[in-house]
Amino acid sequence: CDNEEVRRRCQAVEQECKDVDAKEPDTWECVCMAPQTGSASMGPAECKLDECAVECMTCADNDGSGNVCEKAGQVCVDPDDKAASVMDWMCVCVAPKGAATAAGKAVETCP
């Protein structure tokens, strides 16, 4: 991303500019900054943030010690992985092995 204008387009939305092929013109992309993920060719990316899958201040693992849901034997669910949607993850109880549950319904209480 030697072109200053191109670099600014990515930096304006707090993303990095990356040359996909330095030999070919106009093959750059904006790349989301960790812990967000995503990239887009020749323009800003729509960044994602799965707060159950990475470590970050608003995540289920906010200190590097592991996902709090998994440590409690539960499943972590982030219903909206858009980067702007934070603190919406939740721990969901897992049905005991062999227990019948209705499809699409979470267990009401943890055993």
Side-chain angles (χ1 to χ4, degrees):
C1 290
D2 293 331
N3 183 315
E4 183 67 25
E5 181 184 335
V6 166
R7 192 168 43 251
R8 283 188 192 149
R9 287 177 67 187
C10 295
Q11 290 173 341
V13 290
E14 298 181 1
Q15 297 175 11
E16 293 181 334
C17 185
K18 177 183 166 193
D19 280 315
V20 177
D21 185 347
K23 296 176 185 174
E24 294 291 324
D26 296 328
T27 58
W28 57 274
E29 63 184 12
C30 290
V31 179
C32 301
M33 306 274 278
Q36 299 175 9
T37 59
S39 63
S41 296
M42 300 181 61
E46 183 178 318
C47 298
K48 303 287 184 185
L49 176 61
D50 183 345
E51 294 176 291
C52 293
V54 297
E55 177 189 343
C56 71
M57 292 301 295
T58 63
C59 294
D61 179 359
N62 65 4
D63 62 4
S65 67
N67 183 305
V68 295
C69 300
E70 293 171 2
K71 288 200 276 186
Q74 300 175 19
V75 175
C76 185
V77 176
D78 186 353
D80 186 349
D81 66 356
K82 290 184 190 77
S85 176
V86 296
M87 296 296 293
D88 59 341
W89 59 271
M90 62 189 96
C91 295
V92 178
C93 296
V94 179
K97 285 187 178 183
T101 58
K105 292 196 175 189
V107 176
E108 293 294 323
T109 60
C110 294

